[in-house]
Structure formats: structure tokens, C-alpha cells
Amino acid sequence: MTERPSAEVSATPALGGPGAGDNEVLVTGLGATTPLGGDVTSTWEAMLAGRSGVRQLSEEWAAEMPVRIAARLAVEPTEVIERVKARRMDRVQQVAVVAAREAWADAGSPDVEPERLAVVVGSGIGGALTLLGQWDVLREKGPRRVSPLTVPMLMPNGPAAVVGLEVGAKAAVRAPVSACATGAEALAIGLELIRSGKADVVLAGGAEACIHPLPMAGFAAMRAMSTRNDEPERASRPFDKGRDGFVLGEGGGMVVLERASHARARGRTGYAVLAGAGITADGYDIVQPDPSGTGQARAVAEALADGGLTGADIQHVNGHSTSTPAGDMGELLALRTAIGDHPVVTATKSMTGHLLGAAGAVEAIATVLSIRDGIVPPTINLEDPDDAVCLDIAANTARKMNITAAINDSFGFGGHNVALAFTAL
């Protein structure tokens, strides 16, 4: 992957803030596997071209489901991971390892003491396929046929554990679980680990793989998912009047965060600065976001303050924007409150579907690449904007623009709100 050319990493963020000096945190590596591509490059190219990764499900069980579409991975992880190793991991763990390997290699495989290396990887649901699959084995074949690897494959910290073992991290291996805000929260925790002096390098992100009849039936019963089964590529349509719910996807995104002085010492420039993070809670409902958007706006405001930024500094927002009737408009109101009327907003879930615990990490990668390349990927399927749309949406085609600071926000069931502020080098 080609990095943005630069003579030397500055010791001070472009727009200042408490991250200045040795506590400045750079993004030095990116890795992803998504419904749009098996790596960052192919995913980014597909995003900029406005391609959808949503397809009809071909499994027999899907025929009886009210929702028969999803966004599956473009490349099977078993095509990348050694066969024997892959068989010892749940699919979500495989996804995490694929993305982590790319991010680590992209960062130049940092030479860092294990006690100064941390991993923060989360998943909203975890090893659901193992849990449900082994329950079937137990019922149909008895307890002696249950795999001895069942527990390490289903445990929620499994993705973090396998990635930690992959890179030999000993400073910490942490596994946040905050529903659809998980991937973003992992990056926020990574930022704090470096700032606090507990690590010099953190491999952070999220992974999800739960396209299975039970989770899909559960989401469908909540009427949270789109039922546009005959038009899968047009089903995810954030901000459009015709939106009727999100589309479930699977994937993983990983980011190498690194102390600037550590990166400089090994000759690495990086992509961007993770300047700040904000984490709040709505305290409103287990699934519905607070319609006032107050908690979401506070998370964005905290990220700005943490990064020494103001709303006027932000040119772009990669939004959570799931294509649900209530969620999209509440988010725009929160962004206008915290930032103002000027940022260009995009919703890449219109192409990837909703990757749940991986969403925030994959969208953070898109935000970083928007800063690097000076371009905002489109929100596809935006044909008839909701009358309540109050911000500038990059609709249907990518938009070129200079970006020095951007926000990526993520929200999850339970009222979790996370915002990340990135700045140019």
C-alpha cells in the first residue's frame, strides 16, 4: 500500500491539542477485509466507485427468512489463513487475523518490545457461529462430539486473543464490547494506552461475522433490517426517504496506532494523526438512540476538545448512518449541534452494509484515506433525500476536497456513543 509522501513526521499535530509532542499518536498501518474487497486497497477502490457489497443469500435457510439479503465478505478468510490454523478459529477470529496481518505488514512490522505492544480488538457479538453450530452438534450428536475448541472459539475476547498471539503483544490485550460502537471504541482505548505511557504501538480494531439465521431473525423481528430483498444493492440507503433499515454485513478493520517518536525512530511517516476521541452514553433506551441526539453530540464535542479542535476545523464526517428511519436524522442533528452546517457527510454503510462491531474501525480507515487522498466516498442509493436532511451529503458520486480534519462517529445498542477525530500530518 502506498503511503502519503512526507519528509518527516511533525512532533505537533497540524491543528494542535493535548496530543502534541511525544504523546502524538499516528496511524501507521491499515488492514481490512470487507464485502467490498479482501484488503484495504480493493475496499477503498470499491468505495470510491460506489459499488455495493450487498447480495441475496443463497443458503437454504434464507428462503424462509423475512430478510434474505446480506453483505458477505468479498474474499473468504480461509483463502488467506493456513487451513489448519483457520479450523481452530471461529469465523470472526479468522476475519480479525486477516485484517490484523495486513495492518501489521502495512506498518512495516514494527520492531517493538512485546511489553510495549498492545492489542485492542472487539466484536459486537463474538463467536456466534461456533456457539450456534456447536449447540446443533450437541443436540444432534451428543456431548462427546462437541469440539474441545468450542470455548476459545466462541468467547467474546477471542478475536483480541488470536490477534494478540499473532503479534506477540504483552503490554495488554483488551476486548471492548459496545455493540456497533466497538471498533471505534477500540481505537479510542488504543489512543489512551499510548498517551498514558503504557504502550508505544497498539493494533486496534473490530471484527464481526454473524450472518446466521438466528441473529438475522432477531434483527428482523425488531424491524431493524431492510426487507428490500429483490433489490439487494439498493437496500442500504442512508438519508433516503425510502430507507427501511440496515443490511447486515461481515468484515474486519484494523489500525496500527503508534507514538510519533517511535514511528520517527524507525523512519515511518504514517497516514494521519488520531487527534482525539470522545465516549458518552445516552442513558435512554436499550436499542433506540436518544432522539434529541444529545449524547451523540457530546461524544463529537469531546473528541474535538480532546484533539484541540473546534467544529470549524472539521471538513468531513464519515457517519454511523445505518439507513434506519430514526437513526440517520438524529445523527445529522447531533452533528450540526456539535460541528455546524458545513461538513460534508458520507455513509459508507450504503456500500458495505452494517458490519456491527467492525463498522467503526472500517469507517475510521475510510476517514483516514479520505484525509490522505483528498476525496470523500459517496453515499449511494440516495435518490430522494429525507426532508429533514440538514447537512451536505456526498450523494452517489465521490467528492474531491481538501481535508485537514475529519470526524468518524459510531453508535451502538445500549446507548454507546464514540467519536474519533483525525487530522492530516
Side-chain angles (χ1 to χ4, degrees):
M1 194 175 303
T2 303
E3 290 190 356
R4 178 178 176 172
S6 175
E8 185 176 277
V9 176
S10 170
T12 305
L15 296 171
D22 198 40
N23 277 341
E24 181 182 75
V25 176
L26 303 181
V27 175
T28 58
L30 304 175
T33 181
T34 75
L36 300 180
D39 55 21
V40 169
T41 299
S42 57
T43 295
W44 184 234
E45 289 174 352
M47 278 186 181
L48 296 182
R51 292 199 290 270
S52 172
V54 183
R55 300 290 184 267
Q56 288 186 337
L57 293 170
S58 59
E59 291 85 350
E60 289 185 10
W61 57 260
E64 303 298 323
M65 301 288 289
V67 175
R68 299 184 294 278
I69 57 175
R72 285 203 176 278
L73 289 171
V75 177
E76 282 295 310
T78 51
E79 296 180 18
V80 182
I81 301 174
E82 303 87 340
R83 184 173 61 88
V84 173
K85 189 168 186 175
R87 290 180 62 184
R88 301 174 67 86
M89 293 187 285
D90 183 86
R91 186 175 178 85
V92 71
Q93 297 170 358
Q94 296 172 4
V95 167
V97 167
V98 169
R101 285 180 177 178
E102 183 189 6
W104 193 248
D106 185 47
S109 301
D111 183 10
V112 55
E113 291 296 321
E115 293 78 12
R116 303 295 300 165
L117 169 63
V119 161
V120 187
V121 177
S123 173
I125 293 180
L129 300 187
T130 292
L131 174 63
L132 296 169
Q134 290 300 307
W135 170 244
D136 289 340
V137 170
L138 175 63
R139 287 188 308 156
E140 297 168 7
K141 300 180 180 180
R144 293 183 181 277
R145 297 296 296 275
V146 171
S147 170
L149 297 173
T150 295
V151 172
M153 288 172 68
L154 69 81
M155 60 190 191
N157 64 309
V162 295
V163 171
L165 292 169
E166 183 83 13
V167 298
K170 294 185 178 180
V173 175
R174 297 180 61 178
V177 179
S178 49
C180 309
T182 298
E185 186 164 343
L187 270 66
I189 293 171
L191 175 67
E192 183 56 31
L193 284 170
I194 294 175
R195 283 179 171 174
S196 67
K198 295 179 179 178
D200 293 318
V201 179
V202 179
L203 180 52
E208 205 75 81
C210 61
I211 298 176
H212 179 281
L214 182 59
M216 291 196 67
F219 281 127
M222 296 171 62
R223 298 184 179 180
M225 300 177 71
S226 173
T227 57
R228 197 182 288 259
N229 295 311
D230 296 332
E231 298 179 299
E233 294 183 356
R234 301 180 67 235
S236 184
R237 44 198 315 110
F239 313 123
D240 191 86
K241 285 181 180 177
R243 68 192 186 279
D244 66 334
F246 73 85
V247 176
L248 183 61
E250 58 181 0
M254 299 291 164
V255 172
V256 175
L257 302 175
E258 188 168 356
R259 189 182 305 278
S261 58
H262 190 276
R264 186 187 307 112
R266 63 187 191 92
R268 304 295 292 192
T269 300
Y271 290 90
V273 178
L274 177 51
I279 300 176
T280 67
D282 279 352
Y284 178 79
D285 187 81
I286 192 66
V287 293
Q288 294 290 339
D290 184 341
S292 72
T294 303
Q296 297 177 1
R298 283 193 299 113
V300 175
E302 285 187 11
L304 294 173
D306 189 41
L309 304 166
T310 68
D313 296 317
I314 303 300
Q315 294 91 28
H316 168 52
V317 176
N318 188 305
H320 184 63
S321 317
T322 60
S323 187
T324 58
D328 291 0
M329 294 305 105
E331 178 182 6
L332 291 183
L333 289 174
L335 292 173
R336 186 172 66 174
T337 298
I339 298 175
D341 297 328
H342 60 279
V344 176
V345 179
T346 195
T348 50
K349 287 185 181 73
S350 61
M351 296 172 281
T352 65
H354 194 348
L355 307 184
L356 304 184
V362 171
E363 289 154 17
I365 290 170
T367 306
V368 166
L369 294 177
S370 286
I371 292 173
R372 183 195 70 174
D373 295 344
I375 190 168
V376 173
T379 302
I380 67 170
N381 300 322
L382 184 50
E383 299 163 353
D384 188 11
D386 192 299
D387 293 337
V389 169
C390 57
L391 294 178
D392 184 7
I393 311 296
N396 300 311
T397 57
R399 187 181 304 187
K400 290 186 177 294
M401 57 183 292
N402 183 52
I403 304 171
T404 57
I407 289 285
N408 168 225
D409 57 20
S410 297
F411 314 122
F413 282 1
H416 303 279
N417 306 309
V418 180
L420 304 172
F422 295 94
T423 59
L425 295 172

